[in-house]
Amino acid sequence: MFYRDERLALFIDGANLYAAAKALGFDIDYKLLRQEFMRRGKLLRAFYYTALLENEEYSPIRPLVDWLNYNGFAMVTKPAKEYTDSMGRRKVKGNMDIELTVDAMELAPHVDHIVLFSGDGDFRPLVESLQRKGVRVSVVSTIRSQPPMISDELRRQCDNFIELDELRDVVGRPARENADQDENVN
């Protein structure tokens, strides 16, 4: 439930939202997403959190980061750490949970409602703390993927769970992979 006069802030866990949308078979149109939440209340800030591989010449996420930065999103990035696991596989680690949590706690006195785009159960204590400060918290993720992308604890803690699949018609566009497949079929 949203009230048109409430002050809103969006906190987007980029990797988590990307994985949830991909599991549902669509891409997020961030311009439409921002417009949708501007319609639902007084949108004060829209934060997007992601880790970036600094040493690669081309990062597939760089164009998105640049576009978001120029189109009303507050970008929070940090270099991803690259390492090799015990099986010799190259892994990338870039957890943004602490940055998102600190920003949400700092902004809490200035907003009525925070919308968290993540299903990560590590955010349950953050949601609980925000609620103690009088902030309502909605969480956007999905239970329709296999496995579900939202932790049960986070879903139980938030004031309002928004199924990402139900936002598909409002903020989604067909996944690029599908578009490439469609072109190959014709």
Side-chain angles (χ1 to χ4, degrees), residues 1-11 37 39-45 100 104-105 107-117 123-140 154-162:
M1 160 114 20
F2 288 82
Y3 302 104
R4 294 189 62 76
D5 64 337
E6 70 184 352
R7 298 166 300 166
L8 290 176
L10 309 182
F11 287 83
F37 286 92
R39 190 183 59 74
R40 292 184 182 205
K42 294 177 182 171
L43 184 61
L44 299 184
R45 292 280 182 283
L100 190 153
M105 293 304 292
L107 200 59
H110 308 287
V111 296
D112 304 305
H113 191 161
I114 283 178
V115 183
L116 173 63
F117 291 79
F123 288 123
R124 192 206 58 75
L126 168 64
V127 171
E128 185 179 26
S129 181
L130 290 167
Q131 290 168 329
R132 283 195 306 266
K133 294 179 178 299
V135 176
R136 291 187 324 108
V137 182
S138 292
V139 171
V140 179
L154 182 61
R155 187 166 175 220
R156 289 173 189 262
Q157 185 66 53
C158 67
D159 296 298
N160 184 31
F161 170 69
I162 300 170

Coordinates of all heavy atoms in Angstrom, one line a residue, residues 1-11 37 39-45 100 104-105 107-117 123-140 154-162:
M1 N 0.9 -1.2 0.0 CA 0.0 0.0 0.0 C 0.9 1.2 0.0 O 1.8 1.4 0.8 CB -0.9 0.0 1.2 CG -1.5 1.3 1.6 SD -3.2 1.7 1.4 CE -4.1 0.2 1.4
F2 N 0.6 2.1 -0.9 CA 1.3 3.4 -1.0 C 0.4 4.6 -0.8 O -0.8 4.5 -1.2 CB 2.0 3.5 -2.4 CG 3.1 2.6 -2.6 CD1 3.0 1.3 -2.9 CD2 4.4 3.0 -2.4 CE1 4.0 0.4 -3.0 CE2 5.5 2.2 -2.5 CZ 5.3 0.9 -2.8
Y3 N 0.9 5.7 -0.3 CA 0.1 6.9 -0.1 C 0.8 8.0 -0.9 O 2.0 8.1 -0.9 CB 0.0 7.3 1.4 CG -0.5 6.2 2.2 CD1 0.3 5.4 3.0 CD2 -1.9 6.0 2.2 CE1 -0.2 4.4 3.8 CE2 -2.4 4.9 3.0 CZ -1.6 4.2 3.8 OH -2.1 3.2 4.6
R4 N 0.0 8.7 -1.7 CA 0.5 9.7 -2.7 C 1.4 10.8 -2.0 O 2.2 11.3 -2.6 CB -0.6 10.3 -3.5 CG -1.2 9.2 -4.4 CD -2.2 9.8 -5.4 NE -1.6 10.7 -6.4 CZ -0.9 10.3 -7.4 NH1 -0.6 9.0 -7.6 NH2 -0.5 11.2 -8.3
D5 N 1.1 11.1 -0.7 CA 1.8 12.2 -0.1 C 3.0 11.7 0.7 O 3.7 12.5 1.3 CB 0.9 13.0 0.8 CG 0.3 12.2 2.0 OD1 0.3 10.9 1.9 OD2 -0.1 12.8 3.0
E6 N 3.3 10.4 0.7 CA 4.4 9.9 1.5 C 5.8 10.0 0.7 O 5.8 9.9 -0.5 CB 4.2 8.4 2.0 CG 4.3 7.4 0.9 CD 4.0 6.0 1.4 OE1 3.9 5.8 2.6 OE2 3.8 5.1 0.6
R7 N 6.8 10.3 1.5 CA 8.1 10.4 1.0 C 8.7 9.0 0.8 O 8.9 8.3 1.8 CB 9.0 11.3 1.9 CG 8.4 12.7 2.0 CD 9.1 13.4 3.2 NE 8.8 12.7 4.4 CZ 9.5 12.9 5.6 NH1 10.4 13.8 5.7 NH2 9.2 12.2 6.7
L8 N 9.1 8.7 -0.4 CA 9.6 7.4 -0.8 C 11.1 7.4 -1.1 O 11.6 8.4 -1.6 CB 9.0 6.9 -2.1 CG 7.5 6.5 -2.1 CD1 7.1 6.1 -3.5 CD2 7.3 5.3 -1.2
A9 N 11.8 6.3 -0.9 CA 13.2 6.1 -1.3 C 13.3 4.7 -1.8 O 12.7 3.7 -1.2 CB 14.2 6.4 -0.2
L10 N 13.9 4.5 -3.0 CA 14.2 3.1 -3.5 C 15.6 2.7 -3.2 O 16.5 3.5 -3.4 CB 13.9 3.1 -5.0 CG 12.6 3.7 -5.6 CD1 12.6 3.6 -7.1 CD2 11.4 3.1 -4.9
F11 N 15.8 1.5 -2.8 CA 17.1 0.9 -2.6 C 17.2 -0.4 -3.4 O 16.5 -1.3 -3.1 CB 17.3 0.6 -1.1 CG 17.5 1.9 -0.3 CD1 16.5 2.6 0.2 CD2 18.8 2.3 0.0 CE1 16.6 3.8 0.9 CE2 19.0 3.5 0.7 CZ 17.9 4.2 1.1
F37 N 7.3 4.5 -9.4 CA 7.3 4.9 -8.0 C 7.2 6.4 -7.8 O 6.7 6.8 -6.7 CB 8.5 4.2 -7.4 CG 8.3 2.8 -7.2 CD1 8.8 1.9 -8.1 CD2 7.7 2.3 -6.1 CE1 8.5 0.5 -8.0 CE2 7.4 0.9 -5.9 CZ 7.9 0.0 -6.9
R39 N 4.9 7.9 -9.4 CA 3.4 8.0 -9.4 C 2.9 7.5 -8.0 O 1.8 8.0 -7.6 CB 3.0 7.0 -10.5 CG 1.5 7.1 -10.8 CD 1.1 6.1 -11.9 NE 1.4 4.7 -11.6 CZ 0.6 4.0 -10.7 NH1 -0.4 4.6 -10.1 NH2 0.9 2.8 -10.4
R40 N 3.5 6.6 -7.4 CA 3.0 6.1 -6.1 C 3.2 6.9 -4.9 O 2.6 6.8 -3.9 CB 3.7 4.7 -5.8 CG 3.2 3.6 -6.8 CD 3.8 2.3 -6.5 NE 3.4 1.3 -7.5 CZ 3.4 0.0 -7.2 NH1 3.6 -0.5 -6.0 NH2 3.0 -0.9 -8.2
G41 N 4.2 7.9 -5.0 CA 4.4 8.8 -3.8 C 5.4 9.8 -4.2 O 5.7 10.0 -5.4
K42 N 6.0 10.5 -3.3 CA 7.0 11.6 -3.5 C 8.4 10.9 -3.5 O 8.9 10.7 -2.4 CB 6.9 12.7 -2.5 CG 5.6 13.5 -2.6 CD 5.5 14.5 -1.4 CE 4.2 15.3 -1.5 NZ 4.0 16.1 -0.3
L43 N 8.9 10.6 -4.6 CA 10.2 9.9 -4.7 C 11.3 10.8 -4.4 O 11.6 11.7 -5.2 CB 10.3 9.2 -6.1 CG 11.6 8.4 -6.2 CD1 11.6 7.2 -5.2 CD2 11.7 7.8 -7.7
L44 N 12.0 10.6 -3.3 CA 13.1 11.5 -2.9 C 14.4 11.0 -3.5 O 15.2 11.8 -4.0 CB 13.3 11.6 -1.4 CG 12.1 12.2 -0.6 CD1 12.5 12.2 0.9 CD2 11.7 13.5 -1.1
R45 N 14.7 9.7 -3.5 CA 15.9 9.1 -3.9 C 15.6 7.7 -4.5 O 14.8 7.0 -4.0 CB 16.9 9.0 -2.8 CG 17.5 10.2 -2.3 CD 18.6 10.8 -3.1 NE 19.2 12.0 -2.5 CZ 18.6 13.2 -2.5 NH1 17.4 13.4 -3.1 NH2 19.2 14.2 -2.0
L100 N 24.3 -0.4 1.3 CA 22.9 -0.2 1.3 C 22.3 0.1 2.6 O 21.5 1.0 2.9 CB 22.2 -1.4 0.6 CG 20.8 -1.3 0.2 CD1 20.5 -2.2 -1.0 CD2 19.8 -1.6 1.4
A104 N 20.4 3.5 4.0 CA 19.0 3.4 4.4 C 18.9 3.9 5.8 O 17.9 4.7 6.1 CB 18.5 1.9 4.3
M105 N 19.8 3.6 6.7 CA 19.7 4.1 8.1 C 19.9 5.6 8.1 O 19.2 6.3 8.9 CB 20.7 3.4 9.0 CG 20.4 1.9 9.2 SD 18.8 1.6 9.8 CE 18.9 2.2 11.5
L107 N 19.1 7.7 5.7 CA 18.0 8.4 5.1 C 16.6 8.2 5.9 O 15.7 9.0 5.7 CB 17.8 7.9 3.6 CG 17.0 8.8 2.7 CD1 17.6 10.2 2.6 CD2 16.9 8.1 1.3
A108 N 16.6 7.2 6.7 CA 15.4 6.9 7.4 C 14.6 8.1 8.1 O 13.4 8.1 8.0 CB 15.6 5.8 8.5
P109 N 15.3 9.0 8.7 CA 14.6 10.1 9.3 C 13.9 11.0 8.3 O 13.0 11.9 8.7 CB 15.7 10.9 10.1 CG 16.8 10.0 10.2 CD 16.7 9.1 9.1
H110 N 14.2 10.9 7.1 CA 13.7 11.8 6.0 C 12.7 11.2 5.1 O 12.2 11.9 4.2 CB 14.9 12.4 5.2 CG 16.0 12.9 6.0 ND1 15.9 14.1 6.7 CD2 17.2 12.4 6.3 CE1 17.0 14.4 7.3 NE2 17.8 13.3 7.2
V111 N 12.3 9.9 5.3 CA 11.3 9.3 4.5 C 10.3 8.6 5.3 O 10.4 8.3 6.5 CB 12.0 8.2 3.6 CG1 13.0 8.9 2.6 CG2 12.7 7.1 4.4
D112 N 9.1 8.3 4.6 CA 8.0 7.6 5.3 C 8.0 6.1 4.9 O 7.5 5.3 5.6 CB 6.7 8.2 4.8 CG 6.6 9.7 5.2 OD1 6.9 10.1 6.3 OD2 6.4 10.5 4.2
H113 N 8.6 5.8 3.7 CA 8.4 4.5 3.1 C 9.7 4.2 2.3 O 10.1 5.0 1.5 CB 7.2 4.5 2.2 CG 6.8 3.2 1.7 ND1 5.5 3.0 1.3 CD2 7.4 2.0 1.7 CE1 5.3 1.7 0.9 NE2 6.5 1.1 1.1
I114 N 10.3 3.1 2.5 CA 11.5 2.6 1.8 C 11.0 1.4 1.0 O 10.4 0.5 1.5 CB 12.7 2.3 2.7 CG1 13.3 3.6 3.1 CG2 13.7 1.4 2.0 CD1 14.5 3.5 4.0
V115 N 11.4 1.3 -0.3 CA 11.2 0.2 -1.1 C 12.5 -0.5 -1.4 O 13.4 0.1 -2.0 CB 10.5 0.6 -2.5 CG1 10.2 -0.7 -3.3 CG2 9.2 1.3 -2.2
L116 N 12.7 -1.7 -0.9 CA 13.9 -2.5 -1.1 C 13.7 -3.5 -2.2 O 12.9 -4.3 -2.1 CB 14.2 -3.2 0.3 CG 15.4 -4.1 0.3 CD1 16.7 -3.4 0.0 CD2 15.5 -4.8 1.6
F117 N 14.6 -3.4 -3.2 CA 14.6 -4.4 -4.3 C 15.6 -5.4 -4.0 O 16.7 -5.3 -4.5 CB 14.8 -3.6 -5.6 CG 13.7 -2.7 -6.1 CD1 13.6 -1.5 -5.5 CD2 12.8 -3.1 -7.0 CE1 12.5 -0.6 -5.9 CE2 11.8 -2.3 -7.4 CZ 11.6 -1.0 -6.9
F123 N 19.0 -8.7 4.8 CA 18.4 -7.4 5.1 C 17.3 -7.4 6.1 O 16.8 -6.4 6.4 CB 17.9 -6.8 3.7 CG 19.0 -6.4 2.8 CD1 19.1 -6.9 1.5 CD2 19.9 -5.4 3.2 CE1 20.1 -6.5 0.7 CE2 21.0 -5.0 2.4 CZ 21.0 -5.6 1.1
R124 N 17.0 -8.6 6.7 CA 15.9 -8.6 7.6 C 16.1 -7.7 8.8 O 15.3 -7.0 9.2 CB 15.6 -10.1 8.1 CG 14.3 -10.2 8.9 CD 14.2 -11.3 9.9 NE 15.3 -11.3 10.8 CZ 15.4 -10.4 11.9 NH1 14.4 -9.5 12.1 NH2 16.4 -10.5 12.7
P125 N 17.3 -7.7 9.4 CA 17.6 -6.8 10.6 C 17.5 -5.4 10.2 O 17.0 -4.5 11.0 CB 19.0 -7.2 11.0 CG 19.3 -8.5 10.5 CD 18.5 -8.7 9.2
L126 N 17.9 -5.0 9.0 CA 17.7 -3.6 8.5 C 16.3 -3.3 8.4 O 15.9 -2.2 8.9 CB 18.3 -3.5 7.1 CG 18.0 -2.2 6.4 CD1 18.5 -0.9 7.1 CD2 18.5 -2.2 4.9
V127 N 15.4 -4.1 7.9 CA 14.0 -3.8 7.7 C 13.4 -3.7 9.1 O 12.6 -2.7 9.4 CB 13.3 -5.0 7.0 CG1 11.8 -4.8 7.0 CG2 13.7 -5.0 5.5
E128 N 13.8 -4.5 10.1 CA 13.2 -4.4 11.4 C 13.7 -3.1 12.1 O 12.8 -2.4 12.7 CB 13.8 -5.6 12.2 CG 13.2 -5.7 13.6 CD 13.8 -6.9 14.4 OE1 14.9 -7.4 14.1 OE2 13.1 -7.4 15.3
S129 N 14.9 -2.7 11.9 CA 15.4 -1.5 12.5 C 14.7 -0.2 11.8 O 14.3 0.7 12.6 CB 16.9 -1.3 12.3 OG 17.4 -0.2 12.8
L130 N 14.5 -0.3 10.5 CA 13.8 0.8 9.9 C 12.4 0.9 10.4 O 11.8 2.0 10.6 CB 13.8 0.6 8.3 CG 15.1 0.8 7.6 CD1 15.0 0.3 6.2 CD2 15.5 2.3 7.6
Q131 N 11.7 -0.2 10.6 CA 10.3 -0.2 11.1 C 10.3 0.4 12.5 O 9.4 1.1 12.9 CB 9.8 -1.6 11.1 CG 9.5 -2.1 9.7 CD 9.3 -3.6 9.7 OE1 9.8 -4.4 10.5 NE2 8.4 -4.1 8.7
R132 N 11.3 0.1 13.4 CA 11.3 0.7 14.7 C 11.5 2.2 14.7 O 11.1 2.9 15.6 CB 12.5 0.1 15.5 CG 12.2 -1.3 16.0 CD 13.2 -1.7 17.1 NE 14.6 -1.6 16.7 CZ 15.3 -2.6 16.2 NH1 14.8 -3.8 16.0 NH2 16.6 -2.4 15.8
K133 N 12.0 2.7 13.6 CA 12.2 4.1 13.4 C 10.9 4.8 12.8 O 10.9 5.9 12.4 CB 13.4 4.5 12.5 CG 14.7 4.1 13.2 CD 15.9 4.4 12.2 CE 17.2 4.1 12.9 NZ 17.4 4.9 14.1
G134 N 9.9 4.0 12.5 CA 8.6 4.5 12.0 C 8.6 4.5 10.5 O 7.6 5.1 9.9
V135 N 9.5 3.8 9.8 CA 9.5 3.8 8.3 C 8.8 2.5 7.9 O 9.1 1.4 8.4 CB 11.0 3.8 7.8 CG1 11.0 3.7 6.3 CG2 11.7 5.1 8.2
R136 N 7.9 2.6 6.9 CA 7.3 1.4 6.4 C 8.2 0.9 5.3 O 8.9 1.7 4.6 CB 5.9 1.8 5.7 CG 4.9 2.1 6.8 CD 3.5 2.3 6.4 NE 3.3 2.9 5.1 CZ 2.9 2.3 4.0 NH1 2.6 1.0 4.0 NH2 2.7 2.9 2.9
V137 N 8.3 -0.4 5.2 CA 9.2 -1.0 4.2 C 8.5 -2.0 3.4 O 7.9 -3.0 3.8 CB 10.4 -1.8 5.0 CG1 11.4 -2.4 3.9 CG2 11.1 -0.8 5.9
S138 N 8.6 -1.8 2.0 CA 8.1 -2.7 1.0 C 9.3 -3.4 0.4 O 10.3 -2.8 0.2 CB 7.3 -2.0 -0.1 OG 6.1 -1.5 0.4
V139 N 9.2 -4.7 0.1 CA 10.2 -5.5 -0.5 C 9.7 -6.0 -1.8 O 8.6 -6.5 -1.9 CB 10.7 -6.6 0.4 CG1 11.6 -7.5 -0.3 CG2 11.3 -6.1 1.7
V140 N 10.6 -5.7 -2.9 CA 10.2 -6.2 -4.2 C 11.2 -7.4 -4.5 O 12.4 -7.2 -4.5 CB 10.4 -5.1 -5.3 CG1 10.1 -5.7 -6.7 CG2 9.5 -3.9 -4.9
L154 N 12.7 -12.4 5.4 CA 12.6 -11.0 4.9 C 11.2 -10.8 4.5 O 10.6 -9.7 4.8 CB 13.5 -10.8 3.7 CG 13.5 -9.4 3.1 CD1 14.0 -8.4 4.1 CD2 14.4 -9.4 1.8
R155 N 10.5 -11.8 3.9 CA 9.1 -11.6 3.4 C 8.2 -11.4 4.6 O 7.3 -10.6 4.6 CB 8.7 -12.8 2.6 CG 7.4 -12.6 2.0 CD 7.1 -13.6 0.9 NE 5.7 -13.4 0.5 CZ 4.9 -14.4 0.2 NH1 5.3 -15.6 0.3 NH2 3.6 -14.1 -0.2
R156 N 8.5 -12.2 5.7 CA 7.7 -12.0 6.9 C 7.9 -10.7 7.6 O 7.0 -10.2 8.2 CB 8.0 -13.2 7.9 CG 7.5 -14.5 7.4 CD 8.0 -15.6 8.3 NE 7.8 -16.9 7.8 CZ 6.7 -17.7 8.2 NH1 5.9 -17.3 9.1 NH2 6.6 -18.9 7.7
Q157 N 9.1 -10.2 7.6 CA 9.4 -9.0 8.3 C 8.9 -7.7 7.6 O 8.5 -6.8 8.3 CB 11.0 -8.8 8.4 CG 11.4 -7.7 9.3 CD 11.0 -7.8 10.8 OE1 11.3 -8.8 11.4 NE2 10.3 -6.8 11.3
C158 N 8.9 -7.6 6.3 CA 8.5 -6.4 5.6 C 7.0 -6.1 5.8 O 6.2 -7.0 6.1 CB 8.9 -6.5 4.2 SG 7.9 -7.6 3.2
D159 N 6.7 -4.8 5.7 CA 5.3 -4.4 5.8 C 4.5 -4.8 4.6 O 3.3 -5.0 4.7 CB 5.2 -2.9 5.9 CG 5.9 -2.4 7.2 OD1 5.4 -2.8 8.3 OD2 6.9 -1.7 7.1
N160 N 5.1 -4.9 3.4 CA 4.4 -5.1 2.2 C 5.4 -5.9 1.2 O 6.5 -5.4 1.0 CB 4.0 -3.8 1.6 CG 3.2 -3.9 0.3 OD1 2.5 -4.9 0.1 ND2 3.3 -2.9 -0.6
F161 N 5.0 -7.0 0.7 CA 5.8 -7.7 -0.3 C 5.2 -7.5 -1.6 O 4.0 -7.6 -1.9 CB 5.8 -9.3 0.0 CG 6.4 -10.1 -1.1 CD1 7.7 -10.0 -1.4 CD2 5.6 -10.9 -1.9 CE1 8.3 -10.7 -2.4 CE2 6.1 -11.6 -2.9 CZ 7.5 -11.5 -3.2
I162 N 6.0 -7.0 -2.6 CA 5.6 -6.8 -3.9 C 6.2 -7.8 -4.8 O 7.4 -7.9 -4.9 CB 6.0 -5.4 -4.4 CG1 5.4 -4.3 -3.5 CG2 5.6 -5.1 -5.9 CD1 5.9 -2.9 -3.7

